[in-house]
Amino acid sequence: MIVVVGAGPAGIAAALRAQECGARVTVVDDNPAPGGQIWRGDSNVWLTRFRASGIPFIASARVITGDAQAQTLLVETPEGARKLTWDKLIIAAGSRELFLPFPGWTLPGVFGAGGLQALAKSGLSVADKTVVIGGTGPLLLAVAAYLRQHGAHVKLIAEQASPAGLAGFAKELLRNPNKLLQGVALARHIAGSPYVTNCWIESATGQGRLEAVTLRQGRRTWTERCDFAAIGYGLVPDNELATFLMNSPNVVIAGTGELNLAILEGEIAGFTVAGYPERALGLYGKREKAHRFATALQHTFALRHELKSLPRPDTIVCRCEDVTFGLLCEFPNSRAAKLHTRCGMGPCQGRICGPAAEFLFGWNPGSLRPPLFPAKIGSLMPATTE
Amino acid sequence: MDAQDHQYNIALPGTTIDALIVGAGIVGAACARELSLAGLKVTVCDESDVIGGGATAAGMGHLAVMDDSEAQFALTSYSQTLWHELSPQLPAEAEYLPCGSLWVAADAEEMEEVNRKFRFYSARAIRVELLDEQQIAEAEPNLRPGLSGGLLMCAASVCYPPCAAAFLMKRITFLPGRRVIAVSSDGVDFADGTRLAAGLTILATGTEITRLVPNAPVYPRKGHLLITDRYPGFLNHQLIELGYLKSAHSTESDSVAFNVQPRQTGQILIGSSRQYGTEDPATESHMLSRMLARAVEYMPGLTELSAIRTWTGFRAATPDKLPLIGPCESLNNVYLATGHEGLGIATSLATARLLADHILGRASAISLEPYLPGRRFAAHG
Ligand SMILES: Cc1cc2nc3c(=O)[nH]c(=O)nc-3n(C[C@H](O)[C@H](O)[C@H](O)COP(=O)(O)OP(=O)(O)OC[C@H]3O[C@@H](n4cnc5c(N)ncnc54)[C@H](O)[C@@H]3O)c2cc1C
Ligand SMILES: Cc1cc2nc3c(=O)[nH]c(=O)nc-3n(C[C@H](O)[C@H](O)[C@H](O)COP(=O)(O)OP(=O)(O)OC[C@H]3O[C@@H](n4cnc5c(N)ncnc54)[C@H](O)[C@@H]3O)c2cc1C
């Protein structure tokens, strides 16, 4: 039995390819429907094929821990905990947004860019709302286009990268014509919203909720009133389970970040794990290319160091435990900070503040212990094995 | 960025030191404070760069009085008095919470033990209250119905040990990231090849003592803990089952006991397990399950609470369940302060006071005799 964790593009591609090879596959995901972050509620060839495939899909199922020796996963579902046994495990857990603290980032109305898009997809009305988008990378354009389509007034897109870097990226785009087409389509949707480079949101203000953001471009700072701010500084892989089970030879990790790369990695993992690695041969060249593109993206949209000086001493870094930047500055490493300020000790266990602290201070992420995600105590007691 | 002064001072090389304390756990921190208050020039070193990062970061921080033996009672009750005196000075982050603790009796046999404890403590002027079946249900509505009763230890409290240790270390010179590899009567050698001279050295290295004093009768005893999200009002007292005694006493097999603690944050800390013969710090799912199953037996409602973290720690156990406090037999000017098993947070202050009294030739409130490292240990089975 092959178990695939994650029903995003990589997980779906992996499951379908493995099934094509005749393997028995099950997919688990903590969302109610397949699609992951990007294909949430969408329809496309992969999703359609997946829905028709008959591959068992365990929905709303969070993998809370795994055992590399026993080759099991402990999964929490609304109906209770289940233990799944696997011969091969494909982890395609995707990624989450990187949040960088700045004054006011915890105000209601400030969202992750992907988060606001997901909320809009699941019903939050953005019609006639004024939105400022800030951060870095192509995701900002995709979010801007989506929000505009749904009636939002996107006042401005603040891209922290420099125009010189973007020019280099455009060259890379020319080598990937279909990316270029996507870009043109996006550009049509964002026309009318200024796209400002070398620019970032410095602070957010408001009485109890967001009312305005202050932007900076070089020496110039100015304020824009808005209802929502959508901030996207990139993605952090959800690698808890992968890290935890890394030592097992029967675990394969597939796809994070850029969409095409994720699909290709999923396909390769599916063929390989199902015992037909030769079927993946034709994909390696494409993966190489997708990988190059992803690397170019990363290079172009690398975070500038000025972002490290956005937090003020009273800016919260750890939201679960209300730990401020000023307090964290007194500690030499993440463990000392954790033990003495409770930074990262809350329900998110440093999933939000950990990557921020890594960026701000260069700290290592904390260690992992089961449960890898908050879980009911009842789920951690002997469960039936399937 | 370097730690700032109000955290701790960093030692200057070439200065002379009256007392060097090896180990910045709660015991070393308490010793440092005691000697420094007496006017000695004290330095603390630790192989890690965190204060209270060893067993002190793992322990439940239950400041309990226990009655295994008269000696254990003497040390724990003296220490509780010292915690009480210190508590007004403790910073908020030390999370000192005078919640009281409650021994839970499941049946008539355990109720007899509750009665014995009641007589024991009453006779020694410790504030205790007997609870019957109805009173214990009122005191802790989330306990399962039908328990026989319990004993409330009114003066018990809990704290957050790493921050308590940091408070004790305030204004004490700290040498982080320095592992001691050898000790002599005039100082220590560090792993980085440097030496440090000191008038006297206290080894407060917890379970690690046998690396420096190979024949010290100290064994690591592993424990698991789990903490929940915040549920204010779910639990009012530190609760311990009487069966805990069987668990704590067993010196061989692995055991678990119902032992839950309310945190000031509204979180619930769930213990505990005891294992010998392993030095692997991984959380073991079978021990965790056993421990949780035991807790749920007493508090069924726990199953629905969200667990956010598990971890393990190692207690420094000795054959007679008493710590090693006092001069090291084989080395002049070297003292031990270790072997506190599951009571090192509770007894840290008394340990430090007694050791300082001994070193400085002061009279002490209780006798050091039962804890001297040179005492005889009966062969243990
Ligand atoms: C009273 C009290 C309350 C607490 N409350 C909370 C809380 O609310 N939230 C919270 O998150 N924590 C809480 N903690 C626990 C604390 O954050 C640490 O988890 C604890 O100090 C144990 O650390 P650790 O070993 O888990 O991991 P770390 O402190 O990260 O690591 C310590 C060392 O343990 C070893 N280690 C770590 N993980 C593993 C592993 N998986 N397998 C093998 N070895 C490993 C490594 O050698 C590592 O260097 C509390 C602790 C106490 C004492
Ligand atoms: C699961 C569990 C629950 C517990 N519950 C409680 C409780 O409720 N109440 C209670 O009172 N106690 C409790 N304890 C016990 C308590 O945690 C310990 O007794 C106490 O923390 C011991 O403190 P310490 O300073 O002696 O040791 P540690 O905190 O381990 O400190 C020793 C320090 O010495 C350093 N060190 C070691 N060797 C060297 C070297 N060669 N060179 C330099 N530095 C060195 C280490 O890095 C470490 O920081 C519990 C323990 C566990 C594991």
Side-chain angles (χ1 to χ4, degrees):
Chain A
M1 167 69 88
I2 298 174
V3 173
V4 179
V5 178
I12 285 176
L16 285 169
R17 293 306 188 204
Q19 189 200 36
E20 266 171 40
C21 301
R24 273 179 60 216
V25 193
T26 296
V27 179
V28 292
D29 194 294
D30 56 0
N31 287 293
Q37 305 276 350
I38 304 191
W39 293 341
R40 199 183 293 263
D42 293 359
S43 175
N44 60 43
V45 274
W46 285 103
L47 273 174
T48 311
R49 274 192 61 201
F50 181 71
R51 290 194 190 104
S53 69
I55 295 173
F57 176 60
I58 308 181
S60 305
R62 165 157 289 182
V63 175
I64 52 181
T65 183
D67 185 329
Q69 250 92 56
Q71 306 213 145
T72 55
L73 292 180
L74 188 57
V75 177
E76 190 174 72
T77 72
E79 292 80 44
R82 295 166 69 170
K83 218 175 218 179
L84 298 179
T85 310
W86 41 270
D87 301 309
K88 305 273 181 187
L89 182 67
I90 299 176
I91 303 178
S95 35
R96 56 179 180 267
E97 291 190 89
L98 169 64
F99 290 91
L100 298 183
F102 58 87
W105 75 287
T106 55
L107 278 174
V110 180
F111 294 94
L116 184 58
Q117 185 177 15
L119 280 174
K121 282 188 183 182
S122 53
L124 176 81
S125 168
V126 294
D128 299 325
K129 298 286 190 215
T130 303
V131 185
V132 173
I133 297 178
T136 203
L139 177 75
L140 302 186
L141 301 180
V143 171
Y146 185 88
L147 295 176
R148 280 177 59 97
Q149 270 171 337
H150 289 78
H153 171 48
V154 176
K155 214 170 194 182
L156 180 136
I157 303 162
E159 166 57 65
Q160 58 96 42
S162 68
L166 289 175
F169 178 64
K171 248 190 264 155
E172 191 63 33
L173 270 180
L174 289 173
R175 279 193 245 149
N176 292 265
N178 59 345
K179 286 263 165 7
L180 191 61
L181 286 178
Q182 278 175 26
V184 171
L186 284 178
R188 228 188 353 251
H189 284 297
I190 61 163
S193 299
Y195 182 70
V196 188
T197 53
N198 262 341
C199 176
W200 59 93
I201 295 177
E202 213 170 42
S203 64
T205 49
Q207 291 293 322
R209 64 158 292 121
L210 177 69
E211 287 166 14
V213 294
T214 298
L215 294 125
R216 173 177 289 275
Q217 188 190 37
R219 294 233 179 109
R220 184 165 88 98
T221 66
W222 73 102
T223 296
E224 297 279 3
R225 296 192 68 79
C226 54
D227 302 306
F228 294 136
I231 320 269
Y233 279 112
L235 299 173
V236 189
D238 272 320
N239 58 5
E240 285 83 3
L241 184 63
T243 309
F244 199 65
L245 297 178
M246 206 155 50
N247 295 325
S248 167
N250 294 321
V251 174
V252 173
I253 296 149
T256 56
E258 208 272 318
L259 176 62
N260 286 329
L261 183 59
I263 296 175
L264 285 163
E265 286 196 347
E267 293 187 80
I268 293 171
F271 285 133
T272 310
V273 162
Y276 291 86
E278 66 279 6
R279 296 196 188 171
L281 286 179
L283 299 175
Y284 285 104
K286 288 192 203 163
R287 182 175 69 172
E288 183 57 31
K289 223 169 135 194
H291 201 266
R292 230 183 311 122
F293 180 72
T295 311
L297 269 183
Q298 242 170 29
H299 188 76
T300 304
F301 297 107
L303 299 179
R304 56 172 66 231
H305 73 266
E306 285 98 322
L307 298 173
K308 293 183 189 182
S309 39
L310 292 185
R312 290 199 282 256
D314 64 349
T315 303
I316 300 275
V317 175
C318 168
R319 290 181 85 153
C320 297
E321 300 289 338
D322 289 347
V323 184
T324 61
F325 179 72
L327 189 57
L328 291 179
C329 285
E330 293 173 15
F331 293 89
N333 56 44
S334 57
R335 184 153 199 267
K338 174 181 168 182
L339 283 176
H340 291 283
T341 70
R342 299 191 52 85
C343 180
M345 275 204 193
C348 97
Q349 286 288 297
R351 267 180 283 276
I352 308 284
C353 62
E358 198 174 343
F359 175 70
L360 294 171
F361 305 110
W363 289 351
N364 296 328
S367 67
L368 287 169
R369 297 268 189 189
L372 302 173
F373 299 93
K376 280 188 186 175
I377 285 176
S379 302
L380 298 172
M381 283 151 46
T384 45
T385 306
E386 291 169 38
Chain B
M1 183 177 292
D2 274 337
Q4 294 176 354
D5 308 79
H6 74 275
Q7 285 296 323
Y8 37 71
N9 299 317
I10 302 293
L12 303 169
T15 51
T16 50
I17 292 167
D18 297 331
L20 172 68
I21 293 163
V22 184
I26 192 125
V27 173
C31 292
R33 180 168 188 272
E34 242 354 291
L35 291 178
S36 151
L37 286 176
L40 269 67
K41 198 150 179 283
V42 180
T43 289
V44 179
C45 69
D46 199 293
E47 64 180 306
S48 107
D49 45 17
V50 184
I51 291 176
T56 299
M60 274 186 126
H62 179 200
L63 307 176
V65 173
M66 294 286 188
D67 58 58
D68 256 16
S69 59
E70 287 291 351
Q72 191 193 57
F73 170 76
L75 193 65
T76 50
S77 61
Y78 180 38
S79 213
Q80 193 175 73
T81 315
L82 297 177
W83 276 110
H84 226 268
E85 282 169 20
L86 188 68
S87 61
Q89 294 175 53
L90 287 173
E93 64 270 17
E95 296 180 26
Y96 183 81
L97 183 69
C99 56
S101 54
L102 185 49
W103 288 97
V104 179
D107 53 30
E109 190 190 337
E110 289 185 357
M111 203 58 202
E112 251 171 57
E113 173 62 11
V114 159
N115 283 309
R116 190 202 60 78
K117 278 181 184 293
F118 179 76
R119 290 189 300 273
F120 179 94
Y121 289 122
S122 301
R124 288 163 181 78
I126 299 291
R127 272 200 304 131
V128 284
E129 281 172 31
L130 267 180
L131 306 189
D132 64 16
E133 183 178 341
Q134 196 190 330
Q135 287 164 323
I136 197 168
E138 276 162 17
E140 290 295 344
N142 284 305
L143 277 172
R144 74 160 190 260
L147 294 165
S148 297
L151 183 75
L152 179 62
M153 312 275 302
C154 305
S157 48
V158 305
C159 72
Y160 177 62
C163 287
F167 165 77
L168 296 169
M169 285 274 291
K170 240 163 114 176
R171 285 183 287 275
I172 305 277
T173 305
F174 180 44
L175 285 176
R178 303 287 286 273
R179 184 159 72 85
V180 171
I181 53 167
V183 196
S184 63
S185 56
D186 55 7
V188 300
D189 292 327
F190 291 113
D192 63 9
T194 58
R195 308 202 67 215
L196 193 62
L200 65 93
T201 303
I202 298 177
L203 303 178
T205 55
T207 53
E208 302 295 305
I209 188 67
T210 49
R211 285 199 299 184
L212 298 174
V213 183
N215 59 352
V218 172
Y219 322 92
R221 199 173 190 194
K222 183 174 176 176
H224 284 77
L225 293 173
L226 176 149
I227 196 140
T228 69
D229 205 343
R230 301 180 180 214
Y231 300 95
F234 186 91
L235 178 68
N236 304 316
H237 306 85
Q238 166 99 32
L239 301 183
I240 324 136
E241 65 162 303
L242 274 158
Y244 171 87
L245 296 173
K246 296 175 207 139
S247 163
H249 286 189
S250 119
T251 46
E252 269 151 33
S253 60
D254 298 350
S255 61
V256 295
F258 169 62
N259 186 355
V260 295
Q261 179 180 93
R263 304 291 314 161
Q264 211 174 50
T265 50
Q267 293 172 285
I268 294 157
L269 180 51
I270 304 178
S272 58
S273 67
R274 292 182 130 82
Q275 291 167 274
Y276 278 116
T278 169
E279 294 189 32
D280 176 5
T283 303
E284 295 161 66
S285 55
H286 72 283
M287 280 313 282
L288 188 66
S289 304
R290 260 182 76 186
M291 179 179 101
L292 294 175
R294 190 74 183 156
V296 165
E297 242 179 273
Y298 280 85
M299 285 202 130
L302 287 174
T303 45
E304 290 303 308
L305 307 193
S306 177
I308 62 176
R309 176 99 182 162
T310 63
W311 65 93
T312 68
F314 292 90
R315 310 168 180 93
T318 64
D320 63 2
K321 309 265 167 247
L322 293 174
L324 308 175
I325 311 170
C328 174
E329 286 234 291
S330 48
L331 288 167
N332 285 333
N333 307 328
V334 176
Y335 298 84
L336 305 190
T338 177
H340 294 80
E341 228 257 76
L343 290 170
I345 313 297
T347 57
S348 55
L349 297 185
T351 296
R353 180 68 60 85
L354 288 184
L355 191 55
D357 289 342
H358 176 86
I359 288 169
L360 302 167
R362 302 186 303 213
S364 52
I366 64 170
S367 165
L368 183 64
E369 200 70 29
Y371 324 110
L372 286 172
R375 69 185 181 269
R376 284 179 164 280
F377 293 93
H380 219 274

